[in-house]
Amino acid sequence: MTAAAGRLIAGVDIGGTAIQVVLCTTELDIVARATVATPRGGDAMIDAAVGLIGELAAAQGAVVAGVGVGAAGVVDADAGQILVASDTFVDWAGFRVTAAISARLGVPAFLENDVNAFLTGEIAAGAIRGEADAVAIMLGTGVGGALWLGGRLFDGPHGAAGEIGHMPGFGDALCSCGRHGHLETVAAGRQLELRYREAGGAELRTAEIAQRAAAGEADAAGVFRTAGRAVGQAISVVSALVDVTTVVIGGGVSQAWDLLEPAIAEYLADEPPVSGLPIRIARSTLGKDAVAVGAASRVRRELGL
Ligand SMILES: [Zn+2]
């Protein structure tokens, strides 16, 4: 029924609150998308994702060639299995995601960590298309990171490469991981809200604090400046180690781009990369679709589409 009819790729972003599904062409152009609240339990989550894929494909009159999934937590991308999941997920650690999807849909499925998928998506079809050496930073409830080096994802021997959210050296506040002073404690949404209250501010969400900062309130502007400078510091450390040329930033906190970006740039002006070359700082252009599109791009690569 549409020009896209034929073989499409499904991309799925499984998050703690919502599951986002996109159907893409093999050029990674999105032809349909849908979102559903994340149900409890691994089987229920897969049923919800597969249900949406089936509905979207039927509406397009198309066949799905394969499914890519980006999921939070530590994943075994080769085995298609969740290894470690946060407390928000029920019956998810140990879940064999790709086997469950293939059993239901009869097509190949692939699993990635969500931040790795975000970075892959922005390189394949987003803000930093075609870059060979980049780092992704997701400023959400927590802070996630991922590395792309020499034209491919680098996730390290334990899948933990690029986890800059838990890099130390940013004060002494308690981190979600139980340790102190990690980047996440100044740059994640929930933590930024805590820092604002500690500065004497009201109990507000990140977006509301951003509005106050934009209106000129000093304490509100201060927490974003601290967050932005901390992200700049993390970028400086990463570039000193692996010489990345490009950074892509996403996640809910990055909605306050006009507050964050100047502080990141300010830090990098104070501490320029040893290469002497500027680092490109880009805001995600795929937004809420980035993880799903990145997961779909893995399917394209694996299946040679
Ligand atoms: Zn931590």
Side-chain angles (χ1 to χ4, degrees):
M1 70 176 264
T2 72
R7 271 152 58 100
L8 296 176
I9 306 170
V12 181
D13 175 4
I14 297 184
T17 56
I19 295 174
Q20 167 96 347
V21 172
V22 302
L23 291 190
C24 305
T25 67
T26 53
E27 303 300 311
L28 300 178
D29 293 322
I30 297 171
V31 297
R33 62 164 68 73
T35 306
V36 66
T38 307
R40 286 170 63 84
D43 275 313
M45 285 152 64
I46 297 303
D47 284 340
V50 165
L52 283 185
I53 292 168
E55 288 169 23
L56 293 178
Q60 293 291 321
V63 174
V64 170
V67 180
V69 178
V74 182
V75 311
D76 183 332
D78 293 325
Q81 183 178 17
I82 305 292
L83 297 179
V84 181
S86 79
D87 297 343
T88 49
F89 293 96
V90 178
D91 296 334
W92 194 231
F95 197 90
R96 294 185 174 279
V97 175
T98 55
I101 289 176
S102 291
R104 286 165 172 79
L105 288 176
V107 297
F110 304 93
L111 176 68
E112 294 275 12
N113 163 269
D114 59 351
V115 187
N116 287 349
F118 165 76
L119 174 55
T120 307
E122 293 290 345
I123 286 176
I128 57 168
R129 209 176 279 234
E131 289 287 349
D133 298 281
V135 58
I137 304 175
M138 282 190 93
L139 305 172
T141 310
V143 172
L147 279 173
W148 184 271
L149 301 175
R152 59 190 297 268
L153 197 66
F154 180 83
D155 62 357
H158 310 103
E163 283 293 348
I164 64 172
H166 301 286
M167 188 185 275
F170 300 89
D172 56 10
L174 179 64
C175 188
S176 65
C177 70
R179 306 192 71 86
H180 292 83
H182 294 174
L183 174 62
E184 189 169 301
T185 66
V186 291
R190 275 184 201 159
Q191 296 275 355
L192 195 145
E193 291 159 13
L194 277 173
R195 303 289 87 77
Y196 180 65
R197 294 213 304 268
E198 285 169 4
E203 189 166 342
L204 297 176
R205 304 303 306 269
T206 304
E208 297 165 323
I209 300 170
Q211 285 171 3
R212 291 193 174 198
E217 189 193 302
D219 286 343
V223 292
F224 279 99
R225 181 162 182 270
T226 300
R229 284 190 61 89
V231 170
Q233 184 179 340
I235 291 168
S236 177
V237 170
V238 172
S239 79
L241 281 176
V242 292
D243 191 22
V244 292
T245 59
T246 307
V247 179
V248 62
I249 300 177
V253 177
S254 71
Q255 300 291 320
W257 190 248
D258 293 345
L259 298 167
L260 281 178
E261 193 275 337
I264 297 169
E266 178 192 82
Y267 186 92
L268 290 172
D270 293 347
E271 284 285 341
V274 71
S275 67
L277 300 170
I279 297 173
R280 178 182 164 211
I281 310 292
R283 182 182 187 179
S284 162
T285 54
L286 293 174
K288 287 189 190 322
D289 295 325
V291 171
V293 170
S297 78
R298 165 116 188 257
V299 177
R300 181 174 72 164
R301 189 172 72 248
E302 296 276 359
L303 300 183
L305 296 171

